[in-house]
Amino acid sequence: MAEIINGKAVALKIKGEVAERTKALINEKRVSPKLVVVLVGDDPASKTYVRNKELGCAEVGILSKTVRLPSNTTEKELIEQIRALNNARDVHGILLQLPLPKGVNEVKVLNEILPEKDVDGLHPVNMGKLIKGEADGFTPCTPQGIIELILSTGQEISGKEAVVIGRSNIVGKPIALLLLQHNATVTVCHSKTKGLETVSRRGEILVAAIGRAEAIKGEMVKEGAIVIDVGINRVNGKLKGDVEYDSAAERASYITPVPGGVGPMTIAMLLRNTIKAAELLASK
Ligand code: NDP
């Protein structure tokens, strides 16, 4: 039976480190790190995420502000808002809460965020730095959190066969690149992959980021694998991962639960990206 990877506990440890770095930056450089979240419209899930980000910042001593804009905000107005935040010297991190209302070009607006303040790591400059392995870039939060969870098991990543299921820009592609940076041999699967069952069974590390409740069954998991379930799916009011937990836990050596696995890590890594942005900007 697999050991459960406790995302809450790992996130708490990372938050403790961020709190120390925040204190040091304030004491040594008189710089108070600040994150601004831009929230457009009133999507209930987005509101909850933004509230959790505000609470996370408060926990570690990072200042936070949410700019709330009505759902009829135009692309031009949103870009003007982003540019104002780019120019604000007291703002170190900018996060545009997605999704944006229809009619607003998400990519165009995201690309306006100054790469140095892009704590979500979605700007092409930061994506490029991830590919090149340049350490001063910003990597998307969820994939960074996944690496921390794997490392928390004490197992080596280097030399392992890793299978990532999903190829989104926010999870699948960046986690594949990070695993590669850690010297895993990486296979990326998607909806057109043939024989997914066979490929997924090769994974000594298996990352499921599909967005389909319990799509990965126990028989698709290699004996002794480390299984990271990124999925958040609401089924009859309950949260379900992309992995069928019980059958997968019988074969895996380590597994993340849903909730309480990857979820808590995403905010912890956002806080770490924000303190990193503040430290880099303060050192210029
Ligand atoms: P996307 O919908 O952007 O991407 C899903 C990926 O899964 C696509 O690459 C798609 O392939 C692939 N896919 C879909 N169906 C299959 C299938 N049957 N077999 C193999 N591959 C398949 O999702 P995200 O990456 O944004 O999110 C994935 C999940 O992770 C969601 O449940 C989301 O809620 C959750 N999530 C959780 C976070 C957290 O903090 N815990 C943060 C971000 C996401 P193709 O490219 O061919 O379409």
Side-chain angles (χ1 to χ4, degrees), residues 37-40 43 45-51 53 95-101 106 110 120:
V37 178
V38 179
L39 174 64
V40 190
D43 177 64
S46 293
K47 277 184 175 171
T48 309
Y49 291 140
V50 168
R51 181 80 195 117
K53 285 165 193 170
L95 187 144
L96 182 61
Q97 183 65 47
L98 302 176
L100 296 177
E106 219 163 82
L110 281 172
D120 232 0

Side-chain angles (χ1 to χ4, degrees), residues 142 165-168 170-172 189-192 196 209-212 230-233 242 262-263 266:
T142 304
I165 312 182
R167 58 172 166 182
S168 68
I170 196 144
V171 189
C189 304
H190 44 78
S191 66
K192 307 289 186 294
L196 182 66
I210 311 168
R212 284 170 186 245
V230 186
I232 302 178
N233 308 287
D242 287 347
V262 176
T266 300

Side-chain angles (χ1 to χ4, degrees), residues 34-84:
K34 183 172 176 181
L35 172 72
V36 175
V37 178
V38 179
L39 174 64
V40 190
D42 44 20
D43 177 64
S46 293
K47 277 184 175 171
T48 309
Y49 291 140
V50 168
R51 181 80 195 117
N52 288 338
K53 285 165 193 170
E54 286 170 348
L55 291 172
C57 284
E59 264 180 74
V60 298
I62 291 179
L63 301 175
S64 76
K65 184 182 161 190
T66 303
V67 176
R68 292 183 165 79
L69 300 171
S71 50
N72 61 358
T73 303
T74 63
E75 193 174 286
K76 187 164 170 277
E77 285 165 342
L78 194 48
I79 288 175
E80 275 165 12
Q81 176 65 65
I82 299 288
R83 288 184 181 160

